[in-house]
Amino acid sequence: MEIRTRFAPSPTGYMHIGNLRTALYEYLIAKKENGKFILRIEDTDKARQVDGAIEMIYQTLADTGLKHDEGPDISGPYGPYIQSKRLEIYQKYAHQLVELGGAHYCFCNQDDENDHDPCRELSIETARKMIAEGKSYVIRQTIPSGNTTFYDEVYGEITVDNNTLDEGVLLKSDGYPTYNFANIVDDHLMHITHVIRGNEYLSSTPKYNLIYQAFNWEIPTYIHVPPVMKDEQHKLSKRNGDASYQDLVKQGYLSEAIINYLALLGWAPEGEEEIFSLDELIKQFDVKRISKAPAIFDLEKLKWLNGIYLRKLSLEEFHQLAMPYYQRLIHRNVDLMELSKVLQLRISYLAEIESMIDFIDEPCNYDAGLFKNKKMKTNLENSLEALLWIQEKLIDFNSFDDDEKLHQLFVNLAKEKEVKNGRIMFPLRVALTFKAFTPGGAVEIAHILGKEETLRRIDLAIKQMSA
Ligand code: GLU
């Protein structure tokens, strides 16, 4: 049997972290068995729909490598996987379900929920007559008495008393199906073998099973996954300002890192290794290791992982990604490639670059206190002395683009003056940046700034120190 999973997002505007994780698990479960991963757009709730959202779903799947095997084609006419294009199908099956006894026509308060629906008692003939007379109606599920038992791969066997299930609307008065119905019809018609979705649907699953049974359709394997939480109490939610996939990308997190992180959010690999490419995830992923416990979104861990992915890039690749953040430096005479080299070792997401490069814009927010450092054994006086030594050496030095030579120059200077290297490097870094923390050391910063600017800043610092 071919494994077929589906990602069934509603086009509401952004890619929720939890939804993307569901898509990933659906993709992995299908691909592990050489199965098919299907994209289906669930757009029957027109009120919640947002323009451009379908394209955004496409873009996200393309960027993350979750390539679907079947689905709508946004470049051409939308194919058969857009629910709003399939209304007649749902209508046909809804009426058929009434005949099979799994649903009934209801003429009450239209789309409202109603636990004790008097219309249940109407005969089909009476109901059809009312419809022929032009009475507006909905189709509601008919819930039989008894219990419903089903098995979920993550949560195990679950039994519910049918009394607790509401006779929800399956087809609305305007002919649109609700999620509860369209989803089942499509999963059946699209031969979905494994339904993977958020556990908020766990409590509705018995209702879906009653529909499958009424149609005499095979029930798919269920894999309900725990929610992604912001903390113990709150779900991660874009509405509360939590990051969506797009937000993370904008901040400079790489799709590969996000995907790797999302895989770990609710699933535990067998060994210690946590860094996995998509292909490796396909091999490693195991439904049995999906946790029942809610997963807490840990931005610090994502930062750590993203940092690893940034460092895996070649310098050129990193430089390309960093360029947009250098816009304001473009007309400055600084060595941007050296800047990239230094930043690549340090940052965990690209937007961090913004605050890391402000030392280039404005060097001298003069702060004499910064020269004092116990560990380096520096103070204002001996820093001034060191800067004068450095100035003298640098005037005739012309290999600023060679880290090795620059470094050697400072080491030789320290040797000559019989002081520790730190007595030279530390005051220089302070004089060049007037920052306690900088993305690189004195050598890299002098390299980035180049000879002219380095000497200008040293000179300025000396003047301010001796004023
Ligand atoms: N359209 C539903 C959602 O976005 C799909 C749920 C499911 O996978 O069944 O939540």
Side-chain angles (χ1 to χ4, degrees):
M1 181 186 65
E2 181 181 65
I3 302 290
R4 289 170 64 88
T5 64
R6 86 306 194 264
F7 180 41
S10 303
T12 51
Y14 44 81
M15 187 64 81
H16 214 278
I17 289 296
N19 280 359
L20 183 56
R21 186 196 56 172
T22 303
L24 173 63
Y25 288 7
E26 284 154 352
Y27 176 84
L28 297 175
I29 289 166
K31 293 298 143 182
K32 197 175 172 77
E33 305 295 332
N34 282 318
K36 294 272 171 17
F37 171 60
I38 288 139
L39 172 63
R40 181 173 76 227
I41 304 294
E42 302 210 323
D43 61 343
T44 56
D45 187 351
K46 288 290 168 194
R48 291 178 60 221
Q49 193 154 336
V50 168
D51 273 352
I54 298 180
E55 287 72 10
M56 200 262 337
I57 291 166
Y58 252 72
Q59 192 62 47
T60 306
L61 294 181
D63 288 354
T64 50
L66 305 182
K67 203 168 166 303
H68 56 274
D69 298 293
E70 298 167 19
D73 176 7
I74 48 161
S75 59
Y78 289 157
Y81 299 91
I82 299 255
Q83 285 191 329
S84 62
K85 310 278 177 206
R86 297 167 59 79
L87 299 182
E88 283 165 22
I89 299 175
Y90 311 122
Q91 289 159 3
K92 180 186 110 186
Y93 280 103
H95 290 282
Q96 196 178 321
L97 190 63
V98 173
E99 259 161 55
L100 292 169
H104 58 272
Y105 296 110
C106 169
F107 304 89
C108 303
N109 264 341
Q110 303 305 330
D111 299 344
D112 298 352
E113 293 293 336
N114 192 335
D115 288 340
H116 308 284
D117 184 12
C119 296
R120 239 186 106 138
E121 315 304 335
L122 296 173
S123 70
I124 290 202
E125 291 72 32
T126 313
R128 285 204 178 119
K129 232 179 92 228
M130 290 166 79
I131 293 170
E133 283 162 9
K135 276 235 157 48
S136 167
Y137 69 96
V138 300
I139 293 180
R140 267 183 203 282
Q141 184 168 5
T142 304
I143 306 272
S145 54
N147 290 325
T148 304
T149 296
F150 71 101
Y151 187 79
D152 179 85
E153 295 290 315
V154 176
Y155 291 88
E157 191 176 275
I158 296 178
T159 299
V160 298
D161 182 340
N162 291 357
N163 266 330
T164 62
L165 307 174
D166 60 342
E167 301 203 308
V169 172
L170 304 180
L171 193 75
K172 294 191 270 188
S173 53
D174 59 4
Y176 270 77
T178 57
Y179 158 80
N180 294 329
F181 191 59
N183 191 268
I184 295 165
V185 171
D186 279 349
D187 282 347
H188 171 71
L189 295 179
M190 296 173 186
H191 307 289
I192 302 303
T193 59
H194 292 64
V195 166
I196 299 111
R197 65 179 162 221
N199 77 351
E200 67 269 27
Y201 291 102
L202 202 54
S203 61
S204 312
T205 300
K207 286 198 293 191
Y208 307 150
N209 285 350
L210 289 170
I211 296 178
Y212 279 105
Q213 282 160 358
F215 276 120
N216 204 13
W217 289 345
E218 199 172 327
I219 292 172
T221 299
Y222 288 117
I223 302 168
H224 285 89
V225 293
V228 180
M229 308 289 284
K230 175 203 196 89
D231 54 40
E232 309 272 329
Q233 272 90 40
H234 306 93
K235 267 190 163 190
L236 200 70
S237 131
K238 175 77 183 161
R239 232 171 298 157
N240 297 334
D242 299 326
S244 66
Y245 169 77
Q246 280 74 26
D247 295 329
L248 292 175
V249 169
K250 257 189 230 142
Q251 287 285 301
Y253 290 90
L254 305 179
S255 324
E256 294 91 327
I258 299 174
I259 286 294
N260 190 157
Y261 178 67
L262 290 185
L264 302 174
L265 204 54
W267 166 76
E270 184 107 41
E272 296 287 296
E273 184 59 54
E274 291 194 292
I275 312 295
F276 299 109
S277 68
L278 194 53
D279 282 344
E280 286 162 348
L281 283 172
I282 292 173
K283 289 196 204 97
Q284 298 288 331
F285 197 77
D286 181 358
V287 171
K288 291 200 186 67
R289 300 185 66 86
I290 296 178
S291 163
K292 276 199 247 314
I296 295 187
F297 185 80
D298 178 356
L299 188 61
E300 290 310 311
K301 180 151 185 183
L302 174 60
K303 281 185 190 168
W304 167 76
L305 252 174
N306 198 60
I308 292 178
Y309 277 81
L310 285 175
R311 284 178 265 298
K312 277 204 219 181
L313 299 172
S314 71
L315 177 57
E316 283 67 29
E317 285 167 331
F318 179 85
H319 190 61
Q320 284 307 316
L321 293 176
M323 273 314 270
Y325 297 88
Y326 297 160
Q327 280 315 312
R328 64 177 204 256
L329 303 177
I330 290 292
H331 300 294
R332 301 285 301 267
N333 194 15
V334 292
D335 189 332
L336 294 179
M337 196 51 107
E338 176 74 3
L339 183 59
S340 286
K341 199 187 91 192
V342 169
L343 291 173
Q344 189 180 9
L345 297 173
R346 285 266 180 136
I347 61 170
S348 34
Y349 58 100
L350 294 164
E352 244 183 321
I353 292 178
E354 270 151 24
S355 64
M356 290 225 169
I357 60 176
D358 51 6
F359 75 91
I360 296 176
D361 295 331
E362 204 25 74
C364 289
N365 215 340
Y366 181 71
D367 176 2
L370 285 174
F371 288 108
K372 225 187 259 166
N373 186 306
K374 261 205 189 118
K375 208 171 128 222
M376 300 292 173
K377 296 200 166 52
T378 56
N379 54 39
L380 188 63
E381 290 69 39
N382 67 18
S383 292
L384 177 58
E385 178 187 47
L387 287 174
L388 289 165
W389 296 336
I390 296 167
Q391 191 180 40
E392 195 190 334
K393 292 281 174 198
L394 285 183
I395 286 181
D396 297 319
F397 179 79
N398 287 311
S399 302
F400 273 70
D401 55 357
D402 188 329
D403 287 358
E404 201 112 318
K405 284 192 181 152
L406 257 176
H407 181 78
Q408 205 50 55
L409 176 117
F410 298 134
V411 170
N412 290 345
L413 177 59
K415 224 182 255 162
E416 181 191 323
K417 303 292 182 188
E418 295 179 344
V419 294
K420 288 239 165 79
N421 292 348
R423 274 266 275 106
I424 306 288
M425 309 277 199
F426 183 77
L428 177 58
R429 190 172 64 84
V430 172
L432 295 181
T433 62
F434 282 100
K435 284 183 140 258
F437 300 100
T438 52
V443 168
E444 287 108 343
I445 286 172
H447 180 164
I448 291 165
L449 295 174
K451 179 168 179 172
E452 194 183 324
E453 181 67 7
T454 297
L455 284 173
R456 192 181 73 79
R457 291 188 187 193
I458 292 173
D459 188 50
L460 192 59
I462 289 173
K463 281 193 183 120
Q464 286 164 318
M465 290 160 94
S466 25

